[in-house]
Amino acid sequence: HHEVSGREMAVELKGKRVALLAENDYEDLELWYPLIRMKEAGAEVAIVGMPGVEAYHSKHGYPAKVDVAADEISADDFDAVIIPGGYAPDRMRRHEPMLTFVRSMFNNGGVVAFICHAGWVPISAGIVAGKRVTSVSAIQDDLVNAGAEWVNEEVVQDGNLISSRTPSDLPAFCRTIIAALAADD
């Protein structure tokens, strides 16, 4: 195992494009930590919102500026989608363009990563049946009822689905996403 220089680390995701879904009342850390971590690893990251929305505000009022509308992008343009938790996923799951994007990303073999309450989005996109996942315990029943196998682990990867439970799992969550994207070359 050789030591990797900082310079090499910075470009491990060079050329990779990551979409990050946003809606109001997102969990601050679950949007910003992956956003910064993916950029740090060399990926291009776009915050995806709904048409006509310039920014969304977190549970604590912190704004996230929208880069592109969900109905203007295709899963072919991205290698991964990351879905933060908070109350935002309850809003996201009502947006057909976001669900279509997540479903297409999954069907294309792109990485679909979700944390905390964000499991609601892949449930509504119809992609969790038969998959091993985790989440915040509050939505365990929802995932099980949608046909998923729920486990209590800091990060779970089943094929191109990656899931975690809470902000304290973010380091493992992001490491797993980066490894999955880096292995995809």
Side-chain angles (χ1 to χ4, degrees):
H1 179 73
H2 71 288
E3 285 305 305
V4 200
S5 77
R7 183 175 296 282
E8 285 175 54
M9 286 298 284
V11 293
E12 58 190 320
L13 297 187
K14 191 171 169 59
K16 299 292 181 185
R17 299 198 61 209
V18 176
L20 192 58
L21 298 190
E23 239 295 2
N24 283 321
D25 300 315
Y26 68 84
E27 160 55 48
D28 301 60
L29 287 171
E30 292 168 358
L31 184 143
W32 289 102
Y33 186 117
L35 173 80
I36 293 165
R37 187 66 194 88
M38 296 305 131
K39 285 187 171 179
E40 193 178 47
E44 275 180 70
V45 184
I47 294 181
V48 177
M50 288 300 289
V53 181
E54 283 182 26
Y56 291 107
H57 292 84
S58 73
K59 291 200 297 194
H60 302 102
Y62 197 79
K65 195 176 164 298
V66 172
D67 296 310
V68 65
D71 62 348
E72 291 171 8
I73 55 172
S74 155
D76 299 331
D77 303 330
F78 291 91
D79 301 288
V81 58
I82 300 174
I83 313 165
Y87 304 114
D90 193 22
R91 303 172 191 275
M92 292 172 188
R93 64 178 171 175
R94 304 172 209 184
H95 297 323
E96 197 48 56
M98 286 188 175
L99 297 180
T100 300
F101 178 72
V102 169
R103 195 180 301 118
S104 304
M105 182 63 71
F106 175 76
N107 291 333
N108 275 9
V111 171
V112 175
F114 51 99
I115 185 166
C116 205
H117 284 79
W120 276 333
V121 176
I123 287 171
S124 293
I127 62 171
V128 299
K131 296 292 180 183
R132 204 163 160 271
V133 299
T134 194
S135 68
V136 64
S137 60
I139 68 162
Q140 175 182 344
D141 291 349
D142 301 317
L143 282 157
V144 169
N145 290 338
E149 179 199 344
W150 190 91
V151 293
N152 185 19
E153 292 171 18
E154 65 173 1
V155 63
V156 176
Q157 181 172 4
D158 186 347
N160 55 338
L161 286 187
I162 295 171
S163 53
S164 282
R165 301 167 303 189
T166 60
S168 59
D169 298 331
L170 280 162
F173 183 62
C174 289
R175 271 197 307 274
T176 306
I177 294 167
I178 290 169
L181 284 169
D184 187 38
D185 281 329

